Amino acid sequence: MNLPIKPKSLPMSFRYGDEQLAFERVKRPLATASILIKVHPDCRIVVSAPENANNEDVLCAVKKRGRWIYQQLREFRKQLEHVRPRQYISGETHYYLGKQYLLKVNEAPDQGQGVKLLRGKLEVTVRNKDADRVQEQLSRWYKARAKEVFSRRLDAVLEQALWVADKPPLRILSMKTQWGSCSPKGRITLNPHLVKAPRECIDYVILHELCHIAEHNHSERFYRLMRQVMPEWEKTKERLDGMAKLFIT
């Protein structure tokens, strides 16, 4: 079962002032009657609602929070005005394990190429300051770190996953639409971009896939397992969803 970077959703919208605001309705798996509204840093409005809630009730709940939603959007839009596409030059910020690091590009024609994390900076050494070369070196570095970090975190969370008898095989694969997946034979595949996220977000994705070893579908049994091993998993998922656009670059 795949864990998508962006959850399946139903597009809806409502009018606030002179603006028609679009939002995504997603299924809230917990057994609760409440409707959860979240405005993400990339200005996505996501409404988590129980499956049995009709669209009229969801729309009514969203309209009641219209002013708050608009204020959140206004703040995030101001922040996004200063966000530019990555150019892979010195001074940019890049993420690793949930923290931001300044990028420093060193041009050294006679030295080996590579990346080092030194004194709060990601230092990339290349033979010439070509953006594609810098991006390539960073991608290799992230994949190498991902392999090490994910293996350690898998060992750690396996102590909670008592239904898993042996450590499952782990594969690192770049994906645009998924954080991870679990094959029918129990092989776990994780997206190297996930290593840019905080540790608890990495643990959440790994636990999600480990739960699929016991229950391949998103059944009530699956969510019971998730609640047992990570009671606050929904909040962690929301945090990861909100930062996805910062990591998948």
Side-chain angles (χ1 to χ4, degrees):
M1 180 64 66
N2 299 332
L3 177 58
I5 289 173
K6 185 178 179 181
K8 292 181 180 179
S9 61
L10 173 67
M12 299 178 67
S13 67
F14 72 104
R15 179 165 291 280
Y16 185 83
D18 296 329
E19 188 172 357
Q20 190 74 18
L21 299 177
F23 65 92
E24 306 163 27
R25 175 182 174 169
V26 300
K27 178 183 175 182
R28 190 172 189 187
L30 294 182
T32 175
S34 62
I35 295 173
L36 182 67
I37 302 170
K38 178 76 174 180
V39 182
H40 292 287
D42 61 0
C43 292
R44 287 184 302 117
I45 306 170
V46 179
V47 180
S48 302
E51 196 170 17
N52 60 359
N54 61 52
N55 288 337
E56 289 76 13
D57 290 340
V58 172
L59 193 58
C60 181
V62 171
K63 287 180 177 178
K64 286 181 179 179
R65 300 295 303 280
R67 182 176 180 180
W68 175 84
I69 293 171
Y70 190 79
Q71 289 173 340
Q72 293 289 301
L73 281 175
R74 186 172 57 187
E75 292 300 316
F76 286 135
R77 283 169 176 172
K78 287 180 182 178
Q79 296 175 20
L80 288 174
E81 288 176 0
H82 305 289
V83 176
R84 295 179 298 175
R86 295 197 185 279
Q87 296 176 292
Y88 296 95
I89 58 176
S90 294
E92 284 185 342
T93 57
H94 291 254
Y95 284 87
Y96 177 60
L97 294 178
K99 296 181 180 179
Q100 286 182 289
Y101 293 90
L102 281 175
L103 179 66
K104 182 180 180 182
V105 180
N106 300 317
E107 187 175 42
D110 300 326
Q111 295 183 22
Q113 300 186 121
V115 181
K116 293 181 180 179
L117 185 60
L118 296 171
R119 297 180 291 275
K121 294 181 181 179
L122 275 172
E123 294 196 8
V124 183
T125 300
V126 288
R127 294 189 179 93
N128 62 72
K129 290 186 178 181
D130 178 78
D132 290 338
R133 288 181 181 269
V134 176
Q135 184 178 14
E136 180 184 1
Q137 292 301 316
L138 276 173
S139 294
R140 288 181 179 178
W141 184 83
Y142 276 122
K143 285 183 179 180
R145 298 288 77 73
K147 186 175 182 179
E148 295 178 6
V149 171
F150 296 165
S151 182
R152 289 200 307 269
R153 297 316 307 161
L154 177 57
D155 286 337
V157 300
L158 274 172
E159 297 178 5
Q160 301 169 260
L162 301 180
W163 61 90
V164 181
D166 301 306
K167 183 176 180 178
L170 178 63
R171 180 176 64 158
I172 310 300
L173 180 67
S174 295
M175 299 175 282
K176 292 184 178 179
T177 60
Q178 298 167 217
W179 288 124
S181 65
C182 180
S183 73
K185 293 184 178 180
R187 182 181 69 179
I188 292 177
T189 300
L190 297 176
N191 192 329
H193 287 296
L194 183 62
V195 81
K196 302 174 185 178
R199 192 201 69 186
E200 59 267 27
C201 295
I202 296 172
D203 288 358
Y204 155 69
V205 174
I206 294 175
L207 282 168
H208 183 108
E209 302 309 336
L210 289 176
C211 286
H212 279 310
I213 291 178
E215 181 59 50
H216 205 61
N217 297 311
H218 288 125
S219 63
E220 181 55 36
R221 183 189 176 209
F222 171 87
Y223 290 116
R224 280 201 305 270
L225 281 176
M226 282 297 300
R227 289 194 291 271
Q228 287 172 13
V229 294
M230 184 178 274
E232 300 293 318
W233 71 267
E234 259 201 314
K235 293 181 179 179
T236 305
K237 178 184 181 299
E238 289 168 13
R239 184 181 182 190
L240 180 60
D241 290 344
M243 302 181 77
K245 193 171 183 179
L246 299 174
F247 301 150
I248 307 299
T249 56

